[in-house]
Amino acid sequence: GYAKSPEFDACMGRVRTLAAEVASAFQAHGYDVVGGRSDNHTVLVRLHGAMTGAIAESALERFAMLVDKHRVPGETRSSLVTSGVCIGTGSLAQRRLDREGCRQVIELVCRVLNSVTPLGEQDYQLEPAVCEQVRCEVEALCAGYPIADYLEG
């Protein structure tokens, strides 16, 4: 089957390469990547200050950027709130993102996170001008890296 094919090997190679790129891009934006790198297909990021995983997950979902709130080592918040997010690279690999595309995704993620004003552990405020700008950039990025074979028969 597919798992034994060269296409699968290539996809898994992209997944791992992109995980390393995601970790590096978050670090370049001043975020702490737990463990300093990724050893698999996910990257665990510790959030700053009052930002919670619940807020980050909700704010990013507004722009079709999906992450999971996640507990980090030394966690003090509940598992419903958390102090981190986990981002997987499988969907990035399916879109065949290159290094530049990956860096653009993380730049957008960080722009949203840095524009959020937490109003508690789960509530937040986000500037409308930022929302419109990010939404347009996400749409353009997705159009530039479509999911292969998604609309084909």
Side-chain angles (χ1 to χ4, degrees), residues 21-100:
E21 195 63 41
V22 165
S24 174
F26 270 115
Q27 289 167 330
H29 282 275
Y31 284 88
D32 175 32
V33 173
V34 175
R37 64 173 200 241
S38 173
D39 290 327
N40 54 38
H41 64 285
T42 62
V43 177
L44 180 57
V45 178
R46 185 185 309 273
L47 299 168
H48 302 145
M51 176 63 71
T52 68
I55 290 171
E57 181 182 67
S58 178
L60 291 166
E61 189 174 311
R62 290 175 62 177
F63 306 100
M65 294 188 284
L66 304 179
V67 301
D68 292 318
K69 62 183 174 287
H70 208 284
R71 298 191 72 161
V72 296
E75 181 68 67
T76 59
R77 293 176 170 138
S78 81
S79 59
L80 298 176
V81 177
T82 79
S83 297
V85 292
C86 186
I87 184 167
T89 58
S91 61
L92 302 178
Q94 284 182 319
R95 287 185 175 275
R96 291 182 169 82
L97 259 74
D98 55 17
R99 182 181 186 133
E100 179 57 28

